[in-house]
Amino acid sequence: MQTAHQKHDGEKIGGNRGIWDRVDWSFVGAIVALAAFSYAASVLYKTLESISWDQVRHTIVTFPLSRLALAGLATAASYLALVGYDLIALRLVGARRVPLRTTAITSFISHAVTFTFGFGVLTGGAVRMRLYRPWKVSTDQVLAVVLLCALSFWAGLAAIAGICLAVDPELVAALVGLDAAACRILGLAILAALALWLAISARKRTVIAVRDWQLPLPGAGTTLAAIFVGMADVAAAAVALWVLLPHDVAVTLPGFLVVFSLAIVVGVLSHVPGGFGVFDAIVLLGIAKGAPSPELVSSLVLFRLVYYFVPVTIAAMMLVAYEVRARSRVAQEDSSQTAALFDPIIPPLAAVATFFGGLVLLVAGTLPAERIAVVRNFIPLPFVEASHFIASLVGTILLVVANGLAHRLRSAWQLALLLLGGGAIFSVTKGLNFGEASICLAAAGLLIVGRREFYRQGGVFAGRPSASSLLAVAVAVSASAFIGLAIYRGIPYDNSLWWEFAYHQDASRFLRATLGAATIVIVVAAYQLMHKVAPERRHVSPSEMQEVEAIVGASTQITSELALIGDKRFLFSQSGDGFVMYDVRGSTWVAMGDPIANGGADLTDLVWRFKENADERRGSPVFYQVAADNLPVYLDAGFSLIKLGEDAWVDLEAFTLDGKVGRRLRQTKSRVERSNVSFEIVKAENVANYFPALKRVSDAWLQVHGRREKGFSLGFWNEDYLSRHDVAVVRHEDRIVAFANVLRKPASATASLDLMRHVPDAPESVMDYLVVMLLEQMKAEGYKWFNLGMAPLSGLPEHRLASRWARLAGLFFRYGDRLYNFEGVRIFKSKFKPEWRPKYLAYEHGLRLPQTLLDIAGLISSSPQRVVAERQRHDA
């Protein structure tokens, strides 16, 4: 509730967004990543033109086990070095209580998942959040650990690349088209930059702060340790591939380390999961002299298996075993709080497992059948062909459904469980592929274990997919098609291939499966682009509105009157004595003020239920303008808080115009009354008779400085709303020049005003006069408190150690006159000697605060237009 001197602080937020602010950078990144993968795939396709799948398969089957064992040892050394990342990061963020065993297991699982699927904050961060949570590692600390691990990795990668460039630059020089001297200088420059970083960190410890979240950068000693750990990790990973290379590849280890580092950098920057295709193309171009041999290609395939597939498989089994033990322990302890620690990891893990199962089914559909000679003896050809085609379609759909699992959708859980079961069956009937079936069943088992975590409503294909999910699906389908084209390139294309059905017609099955997968992707993408999710019903039924009116009438909270504006939805308490009034903007669910709780209504329960309701629909809940008295409830519910400003409450028992205290207001009143001005309160039942005159005042007020109607947190011109309350009017020469509606709560002896407007040519100080007369009238009627509304951004701490939000808001308060007269509002209300009571915003995600504030501002500015449109639709 605000006065005529107020204009909401969010009015101009987002009003002048530049072109760069309107760009969806996540989708730009996805397009760049897909372009990088496509280019790498085309390079690989041309480079591998002379190599057949049979040659690669023969080389893999006959590969010496001793060299595979050496690659396995190097891989183990690399993952062992990775533990150092987490050890250093945990100590920097102050989480020293985590045991070494837990750190080692968590590091292995998180890095194995991140290396294979990419999106480190989502995948590796989710694993760390799950496994470190029992040791009281907070979400902010987990985020800091993820970033510090990434920093250590890049530092070690830069160090080893710089050293090797300085020692042996010839190989990279040939690859990038520079001379050896330039590459050597580049290596020395990298080492110099690292030395400078060490020198700076030795002089001063640096902390990167984003509001209350902090990322402490390591000192010189810790930085040096992180560099050595990173070097050990990269060197061991490079050796794992180096020992697999054929003997005819004449490349020194330092030169190969530089090529390997360059391939990792390009793979990471491409954002392609696991650097698939991009990493391999760089390695082939860097070390192959002319056309690569089948042995070299086999080395890359085996490296993928040894360094990526085997560790992520072991990590998945370890995590599933950990979850099963944890849940059995929880069942024995019967502790819901302990159970809550084990649940958050299930959705992202299930999404990854389901996506992996779909990828296995899809890629397997491109490979030649290995057991076809056995299958043909007892499975008819139509069953083999149908199973192969359907398994590929199932795999493609699983890629898409995985995104819904990450968002905890119940419909995605049901569909994924059905598809994984079908995928297991079809894997067996198409060629006795028990490995594929086991992967599908393992993913299905994980879904069954975590079935309680998939509770959100909504269609599995509804809503806009994220850029990362689109990228993952596109890369998976493209990689499958690329593998098939590379394997069957020796078979001349003919239209008859589409219609040939035989046990050994693998190329025909690949063509049909690829067409089916592409069709599925196109249909789903078209559906998601064209299909708009039906918005949640906004119109409140007459019976619900009667229930709202009854609760508002019995409430002692003055803010409950805002429920009658007509621009809100309602979540009712189980007892029917309270509600949360809210609306939705984007994915932000904004509750206006504290829940209205009467009688048997539980405010705490309403807060939790609103949070659950938003969460079920993938929304982010916030409570806007909550009082200080209820802050413990929001803190217990996991909300963060920032101060928005202060409410001005006038103590009517102490209010007076007598004596020295009331001298200025007394003089203002006398001066205005000498201008032939009168004050009157129009009863609610008679307000409709004054609508034409009041509308002229309102329109004139809106025209000044191009004002627009605001809503949600304050009233706007709505005749239904105005006719519910008395209206205080000021006349000048029998013409209404100002008015304000009067809100009363006799049960709590509080009153307020909401819609307060005047014409531009009204007598000077007419608004001061209106407020003074209202205060005197309410005091005469026996009211004890009068609320003048909030002064935005006022009363925030000015100490140099205050939060960044407080300091930034303080600057706006003092110097933001062009946007809004923040300080003027405070001065106006201060005339009436109010008691200032703080108001807060309770929000859930710190990094989402800017978007939350923009959504609230948009909700307030668009509220009146939405109410009019809704009324027109309802009337029609």
Side-chain angles (χ1 to χ4, degrees), residues 313-328:
T313 302
I314 296 173
M317 291 189 295
M318 291 174 61
L319 196 51
V320 170
Y322 183 84
E323 291 295 331
V324 171
R325 287 199 306 270
R327 286 181 175 272
S328 63

Side-chain angles (χ1 to χ4, degrees), residues 17 81 86 187 194 249 303 318 338 489 750 774 831 837:
R17 296 178 66 196
D86 282 65
L194 289 174
V249 176
F303 175 72
M318 291 174 61
T338 307
R489 74 164 76 219
T750 58
L774 264 178
K831 298 176 184 178
R837 301 179 186 178

Side-chain angles (χ1 to χ4, degrees), residues 51-61 294-295 297-298 301:
I51 299 175
S52 69
W53 168 248
D54 289 336
Q55 292 174 311
V56 174
R57 182 174 58 182
H58 175 73
T59 304
I60 292 175
V61 171
E295 290 77 14
V297 176
S298 302
V301 174

Side-chain angles (χ1 to χ4, degrees), residues 99 231 262 285 311 392 402 452 554 561 620 634 689 711 731 748 750 846:
M231 291 176 64
L262 178 62
L285 293 175
S392 297
R452 293 179 301 176
E561 297 292 331
S620 178
Y634 300 104
N689 299 328
R731 287 187 173 87
S748 59
T750 58

Side-chain angles (χ1 to χ4, degrees), residues 8-211:
H8 192 273
D9 50 310
E11 178 175 351
K12 294 191 177 182
I13 295 177
N16 298 312
R17 296 178 66 196
I19 186 172
W20 298 111
D21 297 322
R22 293 194 294 267
V23 175
D24 190 338
W25 291 108
S26 62
F27 277 86
V28 172
I31 293 173
V32 171
L34 189 58
F37 172 78
S38 302
Y39 178 75
S42 64
V43 171
L44 286 174
Y45 189 81
K46 294 177 181 178
T47 304
L48 306 178
E49 189 173 3
S50 60
I51 299 175
S52 69
W53 168 248
D54 289 336
Q55 292 174 311
V56 174
R57 182 174 58 182
H58 175 73
T59 304
I60 292 175
V61 171
T62 60
F63 201 86
L65 293 178
S66 59
R67 292 168 62 190
L68 279 175
L70 289 175
L73 288 175
T75 297
S78 175
Y79 278 89
L80 183 62
L82 292 171
V83 179
Y85 292 161
D86 282 65
L87 284 174
I88 293 172
L90 286 171
R91 278 148 183 77
L92 277 175
V93 301
R96 299 176 179 271
R97 298 172 53 190
V98 182
L100 177 60
R101 180 174 177 272
T102 301
T103 304
I105 293 174
T106 304
S107 174
F108 171 73
I109 295 176
S110 59
H111 282 106
V113 173
T114 298
F115 288 168
T116 304
F117 299 101
F119 314 114
V121 175
L122 174 64
T123 54
V127 172
R128 288 186 176 93
M129 187 142 347
R130 162 66 184 89
L131 299 181
Y132 285 150
R133 183 65 64 85
W135 300 98
K136 309 301 181 183
V137 181
S138 67
T139 302
D140 289 344
Q141 287 177 316
V142 169
L143 178 59
V145 167
V146 172
L147 296 179
L148 287 169
C149 288
L151 184 64
S152 300
F153 165 76
W154 284 107
L157 185 67
I160 205 165
I163 293 173
C164 294
L165 273 174
V167 174
D168 189 1
E170 283 77 12
L171 199 61
V172 173
L175 177 61
V176 300
L178 298 175
D179 57 36
C183 289
R184 182 172 280 113
I185 292 173
L186 176 61
L188 294 173
I190 292 174
L191 295 176
L194 289 174
L196 179 61
W197 179 22
L198 284 170
I200 294 174
S201 60
R203 291 187 57 188
K204 181 182 179 181
R205 291 292 301 274
T206 304
V207 175
I208 299 176
V210 180
R211 292 194 66 256

